[in-house]
Amino acid sequence: MAAQPVARAEEIDVSATNFFPSRTMSLYMARMFLVRSFAVLAGLVLILQTLDLLSESGRILADPNNGDAEVWRYVSLRTPQIIATFLPFSVLLGTVITLVTLNQNSEVIAMKASGLSAHQVLAPLIVAGLFVAGISFAFNERIVARATATLDQWKKVDYGDMPIDRGNRANVWVRSGENLIEVDQIRNEQSNTQLYGITVYERGAGSLKSILMAERGQRVGDSWRITDSRRFDVASGTMSEVGTTAIAPGVTPDQFTLSSVNPDGLSFFELRDAIDQLRAVGRPTKALEGSLWHKLSGPLSAVLMPLLGAVAAFGVARSGKLFIRAVIGMALGFLYFMADNFAIAMGNLGAYPPFLAAWAPFLLFLMIGEALLLKTEE
């Protein structure tokens, strides 16, 4: 008879340390969350793709060679972008709808009455959010990046035939020591890089001393030989003929031919390699580093949504404040997206370090969500 209370105490201790509700309840909540999130996503994609197609179909069909096939090609390239952009919004709305439904049916009250904490109630949704984040990252890597790169190239030619990229570039700036070099056009002719419209801003002691101009140049040895060049002296204001001379010692062709990188059109590993190449040739990479970190923090926003929407789950539904709590949950989610976009913009301007620009909003709203949940526990 004395052994029975001990066994019951052990059962209570085991249940108290279990972070999740029962298996049945966890699967039930996760299924509700996923079904509603992806249902909202499907509705948003259908509406937004229709509106986007109405605005772009005229430009697509303006080319006489385009028809229905090109319209459907545009849809296939644009839809992955819309899915990637609005998946976090769909997870937010799916979270709020799920928690409001559970609250209205008094299921949250039943779980709380059975001894579950607020963290245990939300645990199935957080794990489902991690699952969505993994799907989002893989989808962005395998589909969205390729579709974005192709669509950007197609838009540049006004939805016409896309030319073959032979490495030609325009309006490229390169630094050589203290000097700045501007090249109007770069062409790869028979595996030999040719420079056209060259302007060298020669500086010394932090100020501009002279401007060297030439129409054409090519690589010879470790430097670049320019012909028919002339130099403008800033101090005297005079122009003098220089003829053939060498500039930019140590500057490689890659420093001229590396084009501007579109981070949205590259996968995580491709963007990391591009950053390494640009850093090796002296190009600025801070904005790209922020985009690289955001490829990780962006999908993880799905994990935040149950925390930010949790305010809609707790409280008596008959109190009449359920709608207000749902609005507060959605407002917190939208504030996160605004803060995230603002931080990325500041990172692109160089005002924020790359890591801070990508992760600060995530960490800030993670703490806000935890603070609200701990207050609910109290």
Side-chain angles (χ1 to χ4, degrees):
M1 297 297 293
Q4 291 182 356
V6 175
R8 291 176 182 174
E10 290 176 353
E11 292 175 2
I12 293 174
D13 291 340
V14 171
S15 63
T17 58
N18 188 9
F19 187 69
F20 294 93
S22 67
R23 176 183 175 86
T24 302
M25 196 65 193
S26 298
L27 293 176
Y28 168 71
M29 294 178 64
R31 184 171 60 250
M32 283 184 64
F33 169 71
L34 293 175
V35 168
R36 282 156 177 76
S37 297
F38 285 108
V40 171
L41 178 63
L44 286 176
V45 169
L46 181 62
I47 295 172
L48 295 172
Q49 180 61 82
T50 302
L51 296 175
D52 182 73
L53 187 60
L54 288 174
S55 64
E56 290 292 324
S57 58
R59 294 182 57 193
I60 298 172
L61 297 176
D63 191 307
N65 296 323
N66 291 345
D68 291 343
E70 283 69 27
V71 172
W72 285 111
R73 182 190 181 192
Y74 174 81
V75 171
S76 67
L77 295 174
R78 184 70 175 117
T79 299
Q81 292 182 337
I82 297 176
I83 292 175
T85 301
F86 289 94
L87 179 58
F89 292 94
S90 303
V91 173
L92 172 63
L93 295 177
T95 299
V96 172
I97 294 172
T98 299
L99 295 178
V100 167
T101 303
L102 293 173
N103 197 342
Q104 281 184 323
N105 296 333
S106 300
E107 292 169 291
V108 174
I109 296 176
M111 286 186 283
K112 294 281 286 182
S114 66
L116 295 179
S117 66
H119 285 87
Q120 288 174 307
V121 172
L122 293 179
L125 303 187
I126 295 175
V127 173
L130 281 172
F131 175 73
V132 174
I135 292 178
S136 176
F137 179 79
F139 182 73
N140 292 341
E141 291 290 290
R142 301 297 300 174
I143 298 177
V144 178
R146 298 177 182 179
T148 300
T150 303
L151 185 57
D152 287 344
Q153 293 177 5
W154 199 20
K155 283 184 176 181
K156 289 179 180 179
V157 295
D158 292 328
Y159 301 106
D161 296 332
M162 288 190 293
I164 300 174
D165 186 3
R166 303 186 186 276
N168 297 337
R169 302 290 180 259
N171 298 324
V172 176
W173 288 77
V174 172
R175 183 171 181 175
S176 175
E178 292 189 7
N179 299 337
L180 294 177
I181 305 172
E182 179 188 7
V183 180
D184 293 339
Q185 192 174 29
I186 302 165
R187 298 178 186 173
N188 282 331
E189 301 174 357
Q190 299 179 352
S191 301
N192 187 16
T193 303
Q194 302 286 333
L195 309 181
Y196 296 89
I198 306 163
T199 304
V200 182
Y201 297 91
E202 299 174 325
R203 303 188 302 173
S207 61
L208 181 63
K209 298 176 61 178
S210 60
I211 301 175
L212 184 64
M213 294 167 283
E215 295 298 325
R216 184 171 179 174
Q218 63 180 354
R219 186 170 175 81
V220 176
D222 191 43
S223 59
W224 296 81
R225 186 178 65 189
I226 58 176
T227 57
D228 300 327
S229 60
R230 56 196 184 277
R231 176 179 281 114
F232 174 78
D233 187 85
V234 175
S236 62
T238 58
M239 181 77 73
S240 60
E241 296 293 333
V242 178
T244 301
T245 185
I247 62 169
V251 176
T252 63
D254 288 342
Q255 291 179 254
F256 288 105
T257 56
L258 278 175
S259 62
S260 58
V261 176
N262 178 17
D264 296 330
L266 298 176
S267 66
F268 178 84
F269 299 102
E270 291 173 341
L271 180 57
R272 186 185 61 182
D273 293 339
I275 290 173
D276 292 339
Q277 294 177 17
L278 291 171
R279 187 185 293 115
V281 298
R283 296 282 188 89
T285 61
K286 294 298 183 183
L288 295 178
E289 290 174 26
S291 298
L292 180 69
W293 283 115
H294 194 258
K295 286 183 178 290
L296 298 177
S297 64
L300 280 176
S301 62
V303 182
L304 276 182
M305 297 305 109
L307 285 175
L308 299 180
V311 66
F314 305 104
V316 182
R318 291 187 296 272
S319 64
K321 296 181 180 180
L322 181 59
F323 176 75
I324 296 176
R325 291 198 300 273
V327 171
I328 293 174
M330 288 189 291
L332 287 173
F334 283 109
L335 281 175
Y336 164 74
F337 295 124
M338 291 175 60
D340 186 55
N341 291 332
F342 176 80
I344 290 297
M346 291 295 101
N348 292 337
L349 293 174
Y352 289 176
F355 184 86
L356 185 65
W359 288 102
F362 180 87
L363 297 176
L364 173 63
F365 279 83
L366 177 63
M367 291 187 290
I368 291 175
E370 278 294 330
L372 291 175
L373 206 59
L374 291 175
K375 186 172 179 61
T376 300
E377 293 276 16
E378 295 175 0

